[in-house]
Each structure stands twice: as structure tokens, then as C-alpha cells.
Amino acid sequence: MLIYRLANPAPAIWNVLKTLVVIALFDAVVVWGIPMVILFLQHADLGLGLFFPPQAEAGEAVLGASTLLVLWAGVVLAIKGQGTPLWFDAPRRLVIDGPYAWLRTPMVTGTLGQVIGAGIITGSVIVLLLVPVIALLWNTLIRPTEEDVMQHYFGRHFELYRRSVRCWLPMRSPWKPPPEVGPFAVSGMLDRVRQRRKRRQ
């Protein structure tokens, strides 16, 4: 089970810098490191052929667009959410702006797109097979705990968001909370606790 902890209050630029470092390290391993190991094994005459004609331009386009999605989502998460993608430095607020208005997991979807781009560039079927493996692992091992924790911190606001916005594929138009929900749709549990304390004083 993940050790989930909200980020400490910090300037937005610090959260952005931490998030960019996390993205760079994650991409270095998942988008580049693992595919390079696979390619090495495929070329080492270990019976791991399964190549198709590489499509460099198409792959670069997919990789570039997916990378922009990951960066956009990361920066919005850091600024609006006041945290990072790390579960022990998690956002203090529910983020429903930017790419999160189109789908709930833009960083995960973007990462899968990056791997698809890498597979198209290298022409490796096995690299492309990483996509369903990553998706299955995330959906099975990480998503349930993450959503349970978000439900705990953000309550009915997250439940409304979860029911309204798709997880993997973008919506046809960006989602906005109903007017009656009000500005507290992005407030975390800590903000509600502070409000209760002020009312008591």
C-alpha cells in the first residue's frame, strides 16, 4: 500500500521544479531506459525479433505530443494542486483544470503515448507491448489506492469528478463542476478543517 502524504506548503516554483525532476527521472527509466534494454536484447540474437519498419516522423510526433501532455499536466498539478505527482508529496488540492478537465489521468495517458511513440520510432513490437503492461500494472496496483485516498481527502468533490470525467480517454469537451458545487470543488480536507476551526473561534 502506498504511503500517501500531502505536500507541505511551498512556493509554486518549488513544486514545479520538483515535478519536472520527477518527470525527467521517470521518463529516463520508463520511456527510454526499459525500451533501450528491450532493443538491446532484441538485437542480441536471443530470439526476440518482432520488428516492423520504423516510422521515425510519426513516432516523433506521437512522442512529442505525449511529452507535452505530461509536462502540461505536471505543471498544472504543481501549481493548482500545490504538490507533486509523488504519493508522499501529493497535491493539497483536487486539480480539475487544464488537461485534468479533459481526463483524470493525463500524466498516465501521456506516458503511455510516449512509450507508443518510442515503439513506433524503433519499430519494436515488444516495446509497444509495454503499453498494456504498464496500463495493467497502474490500473491494478496504483489506481485503487490512489482513488481511495483522494476520496478520503476530497470527499464528494472527487466522487463527482470521478463520475463525470473519464480516466483514460479525453472528453469531447472540458468538464466543469455544476454551479451549485461552488469554489470548494478543489478544496482539500485540510482547508475544510481550517474552516471548521475558524467557525468555532
Side-chain angles (χ1 to χ4, degrees):
M1 183 174 178
L2 299 180
I3 302 174
Y4 204 94
R5 185 175 69 85
L6 296 180
N8 293 321
I13 186 63
W14 178 236
N15 288 327
V16 170
L17 288 174
K18 288 190 293 182
T19 297
L20 293 178
V21 170
V22 170
I23 291 173
L25 293 175
F26 188 81
D27 282 1
V29 174
V30 176
V31 180
W32 297 107
I34 295 176
M36 289 302 103
V37 171
I38 290 174
L39 286 174
F40 173 79
L41 294 175
Q42 285 185 276
H43 288 293
D45 196 23
L46 298 179
L48 299 175
L50 298 177
F51 285 104
F52 60 91
Q55 303 292 327
E57 293 184 359
E60 289 170 359
V62 173
L63 178 61
S66 300
T67 300
L68 288 177
L69 175 60
V70 171
L71 292 173
W72 182 25
V75 170
V76 170
L77 183 76
I79 295 174
K80 296 286 188 178
Q82 301 175 8
T84 74
L86 295 172
W87 58 87
F88 53 83
D89 194 34
R92 300 169 60 82
R93 291 179 175 271
L94 177 62
V95 182
I96 58 174
D97 299 311
Y100 295 91
W102 297 83
L103 71 165
R104 300 203 311 272
T105 57
M107 296 189 75
V108 178
T109 299
T111 298
L112 296 179
Q114 288 177 307
V115 177
I116 291 173
I120 296 173
I121 291 171
T122 59
S124 170
V125 173
I126 298 181
V127 170
L128 289 178
L129 289 176
L130 277 177
V131 174
V133 171
I134 294 172
L136 179 62
L137 289 175
W138 183 85
N139 203 56
T140 304
L141 301 179
I142 298 177
R143 178 182 171 186
T145 300
E146 187 176 78
E147 292 190 345
D148 286 346
V149 172
M150 293 183 72
Q151 181 76 47
H152 170 71
Y153 278 110
F154 304 116
R156 64 185 181 88
H157 298 129
F158 173 71
E159 181 62 23
L160 174 63
Y161 176 68
R162 187 183 68 82
R163 291 179 179 274
S164 304
V165 180
R166 289 196 291 262
C167 180
W168 295 102
L169 299 176
M171 310 278 286
R172 292 184 178 180
S173 59
W175 179 77
K176 293 182 180 180
E180 62 269 18
V181 175
F184 296 110
V186 295
S187 295
M189 185 177 69
L190 295 180
D191 298 313
R192 295 198 293 274
V193 170
R194 292 192 187 100
Q195 290 168 5
R196 291 170 186 167
R197 288 177 179 173
K198 288 181 180 179
R199 290 172 185 170
R200 293 173 183 173
Q201 292 175 352

